[in-house]
Amino acid sequence: MLSKIKPLSLRKVRIEDAFWSARLETNRTVTLPDVYQKCKKTGRIDAFKLNWKPPKPNQPHVFWDSDVAKWVEAASASLATHPDTKLEKLLNGVIDLIVNAQQPDGYLNVHFTVVEPEKRWSNLRDNHELYCAGHLMEAAVAHYEATGKGDFLDAMCRCADHIDTVFGRGKGKKRGYPGHEEIELALVKLYRATGERRYLDLGRYFVDERGRRPLYFDIEARARGKKPYEYGASHQAHLPVRDQKTADGHAVRAMYLYCAMADVAAETGDKTLLAACKRLWKNVTHRRMYITGGIGSSKDGERFTTDYDLPNETAYAETCAAIGLVFWAHRMLHLEPDGRYADVMERALYNGVLSGVSLDGSKFFYVNPLTVHPKGFRFMYAAYFEPVRQEWFGTSCCPTNLARLLASLERYVYSQGKNEIYVHLYVAGAAEFDLAGSKVRLTQKTQYPWKEKVRLIVRPEKPAEFTVALRIPGWCRAASLKVNGRAVRLARITKKGYAKIKRLWKSGDTVELTLPMPIEQIQANPNVRMNNGKVALQRGPVVYCLEEIDNGPNLSEISLPADATLRARYDKDLLGGVTVITAKARRRDDSLWKDCLYQSASSKTKVVNIRAIPYYAWCNRKPGEMLVWIREG
Amino acid sequence: MLSKIKPLSLRKVRIEDAFWSARLETNRTVTLPDVYQKCKKTGRIDAFKLNWKPPKPNQPHVFWDSDVAKWVEAASASLATHPDTKLEKLLNGVIDLIVNAQQPDGYLNVHFTVVEPEKRWSNLRDNHELYCAGHLMEAAVAHYEATGKGDFLDAMCRCADHIDTVFGRGKGKKRGYPGHEEIELALVKLYRATGERRYLDLGRYFVDERGRRPLYFDIEARARGKKPYEYGASHQAHLPVRDQKTADGHAVRAMYLYCAMADVAAETGDKTLLAACKRLWKNVTHRRMYITGGIGSSKDGERFTTDYDLPNETAYAETCAAIGLVFWAHRMLHLEPDGRYADVMERALYNGVLSGVSLDGSKFFYVNPLTVHPKGFRFMYAAYFEPVRQEWFGTSCCPTNLARLLASLERYVYSQGKNEIYVHLYVAGAAEFDLAGSKVRLTQKTQYPWKEKVRLIVRPEKPAEFTVALRIPGWCRAASLKVNGRAVRLARITKKGYAKIKRLWKSGDTVELTLPMPIEQIQANPNVRMNNGKVALQRGPVVYCLEEIDNGPNLSEISLPADATLRARYDKDLLGGVTVITAKARRRDDSLWKDCLYQSASSKTKVVNIRAIPYYAWCNRKPGEMLVWIREG
C-alpha cells in the first residue's frame, strides 16, 4: 500500500455550496433523468433484453453497454447522497436487465451476444468488450457501495472470473489487453470492494502486459486474417507502460490507463509504476495541457500530439479526457499528497470539465476548444460537432461521464490520512472523519471561487491532536491563515502545497483561510506557438473567456494593453451567478477596410469596453464566438 | 465570342529572364524527366498496355491516366519552345501506348478497362473517368499544337464522340457530369483545336447540367444500390452553376469548373455564365484566398470553407488549387482585360504555386501552409504530408500540374487584342505579335521581381498605330512611365489596371516602366481572425516568410514593431538569388520560463535581427519552422 491518504466515502461528505450545489442539483434532477431517457430512447437499455435481431433498428453498438453502466454508476452515487425511491426503482429495473443479460459462463456484453457472437474476444484493439465490462464493474461497485445490495456486484465478479479464465499469462490464455483501457482500474475497484486478490492481479496483468512485443494487437489481427500494423501509440501500446515517457495517443484511453497504473502502484507498492506515472504526469501537465485542464489537442484520433502543441481553435480537449484527468489527479494526490495534483484537479473541474455541460444540465460539449468561431467550428468538426452543446451524440461517452463525476463530487473535496484531515477543494458543506477512532466533524463555509475567504470549523467529539492540511492553491500567491483569529505564518507550515495545522483541536476551533484573487493576465510558455503575444485572464481557479454576446463579433480584433485595469464584479443574475471581469481594451478599426483581403498595415485602433465571463459558462446564452487567449497590446 | 484578347501561342514568346529562366530550365531538365520516371516506376505508363491482372502489383488507380496525361501535356509544351528529339521519341512512345489502349467504341480509361470493366460510367461522383478523359484531351491538344501530329488528337476526338453518345439530354443518354471537373474545359480546348461544335456543346452541357435536381449523383448512387445522399457542395453540384454565389467544396475541382464556365461563356457569349464567374471570382479573391494565392483552406475535403476562414498552420492550399487559380485568372483576364485578374495570377505564380516545387525541381509540396511547425505539421497532415517537399505522392496530381504550367509559362506573359498588345507579366524575353497583318516584335528587359525597372523595346515591321497596354500591378502605388525618355502621366492613360499607350510606334521605340517596390507591412482583413495583430511582408509581388534556419526556432516568439526599419538586399548566392529583407525585431524573453506551461504575464522582450526570404523559396535548406504572418509589436 503506497497510498498515504484515502478519500472519504460519499456519505461522509455533504455539499452546500454557492457554486456547486446548484450544479449538482441540476445534475441530479435534469442530467440524470435526461441521460436515462436518451439511453432508453436509443435502445441502449432495452438492448440488455438480448432480443435484437436484424433487421430491427437500433443494432446494439460495441460500446453501448458502457453508457448504461455510467448512468448506473451516476444514479448509484446520487442515491448515496440523496435517497430517492423512484430513482432506486428505476435503477433496480436496469440492473435486473443487465444481470439477466449475463451468459452462463459469466460473459456479459450485448453486442457480442446478439450481433456478432462469433467474434467474442477477437478484436480487442478496436472493439470495446473489456472496456464495457470495466464500466459495468465500476457501476456494480458504486451500486454496492450506495445500496449495500450485492446482486450486481456478484454478477460482475462472475464476469471478472470469466475474463480471468480467458486472459493472462497462464497456459491457453490470451495475452491480450483492451484497445480502450478501463477494465484495469475497474478491477482494482472490484478488488477493493471484495478483497478478492485475483481481481487486482488481473488488473495488474492488463497493465503490465500492455505494449510488450510481440504486440498482441498484431497477433490478433493476423488471427483475423488482417494485416498486422503498428498502431500502438494510439492505444498506449507502443511501449511497455513503464517505458512510456510522454503521453501519447487517445487522451481518454491514456487517462484511464494512467489511473490504473496509479491504482496498481497504490495497491502493490510498485515504485517503478509510480515513477512512470510521475513522468507521464509531468509530461501532461507541463507540456500538453490547456489552461482549462483540457487535454488531447487533436481531433484526428482524439489524441495527444507533441509537446506544446496546443492549438486553440482546433483544440479537441474532449470532456471525457478532462474528466479522466480529474480521476488521475485524484489518484496521484493519494499516492503523494502534493498540491500540484490538486491544482490540476481543480483547474480541470472549474474549467474544462464544467464547460462540457450546459448550465441547465441538458446539453453537452464533446469537444472544448479555446477559441470558437461558429463558421470555422462547423468545418473543423463536421456537422456532428455543432458550435453549441448537444443533447446527445452518436458516441455519447461525455454526458454519462459528466453525470457520474458530478454525482460523486463529494469524493474529491477531502481525504483523510493517519491522524490527518486533508482539504483539497474549497467547497462549502460538511464532512465527517474518523481519526484514530474518534469522530471529527468539519464544516466549511465559503463563497469560493468568487470570494477569497474560507472558514473551517473543526468539531472533534473530544479534544484531540491531529493535523488539518489545507491546500494552498498554486494560483494563489498571498494566502494568509488565522486559527481562532490568530495569524499563522503560512510559509513555516506549508509543505508541498498544503498548510499543515497540527494542534490539539477542540470543538468549534475555527480556521480562516484567505486566498486573495487578483485578476491575473496569464501567459503561456513561449513554446506554445499559438499563444505568443496573447494572455488569458484568470481569477482564482477560474479561467475567463470573451463571448460574442458581450463583446460583439470578431473577437480576435480585440487586444488588451498590458497595463489595462481589470475589474471583477459578481453578477448574481448572470449565468447562475458569476464574477465577471471588465476592462478597457482596444479593437482594430475596421472602418479602414473595404471588401478586400489584404492592404497596407495601419495601427489604428479604438478603445472598447470588454467583459469576460468564466470559460465554463460560455455558450449558455446566444451562441457565437468565444475566445480565451486575448491578444496583448 | 466574348473574349476581347487572346493569348499568344507558345512559340511566339521567348523567356530569357533572371527569375524564371532558371526555373523553367530546371522544369525541363529535372522535373519533366523525374515525373516521367515516377509515372514509369509506379506503373502508370505501362498500365496503358492493359495487361494488368490480379494479383499483379500496381493495380491501375482510377486517376492514374491523368498523371500521364499531364506529363504528356507538359512534354508537348516543352517541345514547342525547346525542340528535343530524345524527349519527342519518349513522348511518341507514351502516346502510342495511350492511343492503343483506346477501346473500339472510343472509350479510353485504364482502370475501367482492366480492373472494373463492369463499372464503366457507374459512379461519376467518386471515380475519375471523365476527369481522366479531360486530361487526355488537353494533352492531345497540346501535343497537336506542339508537333502538328494528329494521331493522339484524333483518338481523343473519338473518345469525345463516344462520351457524346453516353451523356447529354438526348433520349437514352445519362444526364451525368463528372465528380471532378476537368472534361468541360478540355472539350472547349478540343473544340478550339478542331472546330467541332459538338465538343463545345458537350462541354456546355456538362457545365449547365451540373447541380440540377434531381441530383444525378443521387440517381446513380441509387442505381448502384447505395444510399443517395446530398454531397453536392464538395463537387460544386449543390446548385446549378449560375446560382452558385460562393466558392464551395474541393478547391481544385472548383477552379476547373470555373475555368470551364469562363471558356463556355467566352465561346457562346453567355453573359449569365460570365456574371456567375465574376461573382465567384469576387468571393474567392475578396474572401477566401491566402496572401500567397493559395486557396482551399481545409484539409478535410481539400476544400473551401467559409468567408475569411484562412487558418495559417492548418492551411491546405493545395498546389494544384493555386495552379487552377492561375488558369482561371488567365481566362477571366481574356474575357475582361482587367489588372485585378492579372494581379491574382501573378500573386499565385510568384508565391503559392512556386512554393510547390523545390528550387532543384525534384521535390514537391502538396499542401502549402502559411505557418509550419514540423512537429505540428506531421500531426495535422498525417505521415503522408511531411513538412518537407516529397518526390512523389500516392495522389500525385501536383508534380505533373506544376510541370505543365511551368512548361507553358510563355502563355501567361502577353496577350493580343485588336490592334492591342497586352503585357501582363514582367518577364524578360521577347514576343512576336500580329497586328492587322503587320508583325510587331517586342523585347522586354527587366530584373523583376527584384528590381523596379522594366524596359520594353517595340519593333513593328513598319511604323504603325496600335496600343501597348502595360499592367500596373495592384501592389504598386507609385508607378511611372517614360516613352522614348519622355515622362507620360500614368493616371491619364490607365484604365482597369492597364496603362494604354496608343501611338504611332516606330521600330526601336522604348518604354520604360518604373514600379517602385518598397517593403510593405501588409495586414489582413480584420475578419480573418487568424491574422489580427499580425503583418506579412511583401515587396513587389513577392510575399516573404521567416524560416527557422535564419531566425532560430520558435518563430512565433518574434514580433515586428510597426516602425521597424525594413531593408531589402539582393543576395545572388542565396536560394538561387533572392532579395532578402532584414530588420530589427523583438523576441519574447524565454529565460523567464522554467518547465511550466502557464504563469503571470511579463512583457519582457529582447531585440533580435530577423531575415525574411521569399515564401516560394522556403524549405530549400535545412527543414524547420516557417512563418508568413508575423506578430506586430
Side-chain angles (χ1 to χ4, degrees), chain B residues 363-632:
Chain B
K363 297 204 179 81
F364 308 93
F365 273 135
Y366 195 112
V367 302
N368 295 276
L370 278 80
T371 302
V372 167
H373 194 287
K375 282 181 174 182
F377 191 88
R378 211 165 274 134
F379 273 91
M380 252 173 292
Y381 294 106
Y384 184 62
F385 296 107
E386 288 291 308
V388 290
R389 292 183 185 85
Q390 303 288 303
E391 289 187 3
W392 195 247
F393 307 92
T395 301
S396 212
C397 44
C398 301
T400 47
N401 230 347
L402 277 159
R404 68 173 179 149
L405 172 65
L406 294 179
S408 56
L409 190 73
E410 286 84 353
R411 207 186 297 278
Y412 299 87
V413 184
Y414 306 99
S415 297
Q416 83 170 53
K418 192 167 170 275
N419 233 20
E420 280 183 323
I421 287 174
Y422 273 82
V423 184
H424 305 304
L425 298 179
Y426 296 108
V427 177
E432 202 180 277
F433 300 81
D434 255 311
L435 293 184
S438 166
K439 283 204 189 334
V440 179
R441 197 166 164 74
L442 187 121
T443 309
Q444 191 179 160
K445 290 176 198 250
T446 182
Q447 302 284 322
Y448 195 91
W450 310 129
K451 299 206 175 158
E452 62 189 30
K453 295 276 183 210
V454 180
R455 261 170 83 87
L456 295 148
I457 302 117
V458 185
R459 291 198 182 87
E461 277 179 323
K462 50 179 192 270
E465 193 182 77
F466 56 88
T467 299
V468 174
L470 300 180
R471 174 174 154 257
I472 307 301
W475 55 259
C476 187
R477 293 189 286 179
S480 62
L481 185 72
K482 285 181 184 168
V483 177
N484 292 334
R486 191 170 334 147
V488 175
R489 236 185 90 213
L490 265 178
R492 200 179 47 84
I493 59 166
T494 302
K495 225 180 98 182
K496 294 199 169 184
Y498 284 84
K500 299 199 168 181
I501 316 168
K502 186 176 178 181
R503 68 195 303 276
L504 185 73
W505 294 93
K506 295 185 305 291
S507 188
D509 280 351
T510 299
V511 177
E512 207 175 87
L513 181 64
T514 304
L515 302 167
M517 296 176 176
I519 302 161
E520 297 246 26
Q521 293 196 31
I522 304 288
Q523 280 174 335
N525 188 301
N527 288 305
V528 183
R529 60 196 182 279
M530 304 76 181
N531 292 344
N532 276 320
K534 292 179 184 165
V535 291
L537 302 180
Q538 186 173 337
R539 180 174 177 275
V542 179
V543 174
Y544 280 74
C545 71
L546 302 179
E547 258 199 303
E548 181 175 347
I549 190 173
D550 297 314
N551 301 286
N554 212 358
L555 297 173
S556 67
E557 283 187 346
I558 294 169
S559 63
L560 188 66
D563 60 358
T565 304
L566 297 156
R567 289 176 210 283
R569 184 178 55 78
Y570 184 76
D571 184 339
K572 71 176 171 37
D573 299 319
L574 186 70
L575 297 163
V578 293
T579 294
V580 298
I581 295 174
T582 56
K584 289 216 181 298
R586 294 180 196 283
R587 206 182 236 277
R588 270 184 81 180
D589 185 356
D590 50 18
S591 69
L592 300 166
W593 284 82
K594 302 265 156 47
D595 187 16
C596 81
L597 267 173
Y598 306 105
Q599 67 185 29
S600 279
S602 151
S603 53
K604 234 175 127 181
T605 58
K606 53 193 176 189
V607 173
V608 289
N609 293 310
I610 60 166
R611 176 159 89 156
I613 60 154
Y615 171 78
Y616 74 79
W618 92 274
C619 201
N620 277 289
R621 293 170 294 169
K622 196 174 170 231
E625 290 181 46
M626 184 275 291
L627 180 85
V628 170
W629 291 96
I630 306 168
R631 289 195 293 116
E632 295 171 314

Side-chain angles (χ1 to χ4, degrees), chain A residues 286 289 299-300 313 379 520-521 523 525-526 529 532 554 556 588 595-602, chain B residues 286 289 299-300 303 313 520-521 523 525-526 529 532 554 556 588 595-602:
Chain A
H286 291 201
M289 181 184 72
K299 172 182 76 147
D300 296 322
E313 195 170 345
F379 272 91
E520 297 246 28
Q521 294 196 31
Q523 280 174 336
N525 188 301
R529 61 195 181 280
N532 277 319
N554 212 359
S556 67
R588 271 185 79 181
D595 187 16
C596 80
L597 266 172
Y598 306 107
Q599 69 185 28
S600 279
S602 150
Chain B
H286 292 201
M289 181 183 72
K299 173 181 77 146
D300 295 323
R303 70 170 182 254
E313 197 172 344
E520 297 246 26
Q521 293 196 31
Q523 280 174 335
N525 188 301
R529 60 196 182 279
N532 276 320
N554 212 358
S556 67
R588 270 184 81 180
D595 187 16
C596 81
L597 267 173
Y598 306 105
Q599 67 185 29
S600 279
S602 151

Side-chain angles (χ1 to χ4, degrees), chain B residues 156-309:
Chain B
M156 293 319 298
C157 286
R158 284 195 304 276
C159 181
D161 294 340
H162 169 69
I163 291 169
D164 194 29
T165 66
V166 177
F167 296 99
R169 298 211 179 80
K171 210 180 155 199
K173 289 187 179 184
K174 291 177 195 281
R175 295 278 292 250
Y177 42 84
H180 195 315
E181 299 91 327
E182 157 64 23
I183 195 168
E184 303 87 340
L185 72 87
L187 284 163
V188 179
K189 278 196 179 177
L190 204 60
Y191 157 68
R192 286 174 179 161
T194 63
E196 176 55 72
R197 178 86 197 182
R198 275 189 302 115
Y199 302 148
L200 173 62
D201 291 343
L202 183 57
R204 181 170 57 174
Y205 155 78
F206 282 132
V207 167
D208 285 350
E209 188 62 22
R210 188 164 212 92
R212 290 181 193 259
R213 292 295 181 273
L215 195 65
Y216 181 76
F217 295 151
D218 285 348
I219 295 169
E220 61 160 20
R222 264 192 221 100
R224 293 196 308 276
K226 300 280 178 190
K227 244 180 16 200
Y229 63 104
E230 289 291 331
Y231 198 57
S234 274
H235 306 89
Q236 298 79 42
H238 52 305
L239 287 170
V241 297
R242 287 170 186 76
D243 299 337
Q244 296 185 25
K245 291 181 176 62
T246 53
D248 291 305
H250 191 274
V252 179
R253 298 175 196 219
M255 288 304 108
Y256 290 4
L257 170 64
Y258 306 161
C259 282
M261 288 164 65
D263 284 341
V264 171
E267 295 300 338
T268 64
D270 184 333
K271 292 196 174 166
T272 61
L273 215 41
L274 176 60
C277 281
K278 290 173 76 169
R279 269 196 308 272
L280 290 165
W281 178 266
K282 213 171 156 189
N283 181 249
V284 170
T285 60
H286 292 201
R287 306 280 176 98
R288 300 184 178 202
M289 181 183 72
Y290 287 98
I291 191 171
T292 56
I295 51 171
S297 57
S298 170
K299 173 181 77 146
D300 295 323
E302 308 183 318
R303 70 170 182 254
F304 289 105
T305 59
T306 52
D307 288 349
Y308 304 113
D309 186 45

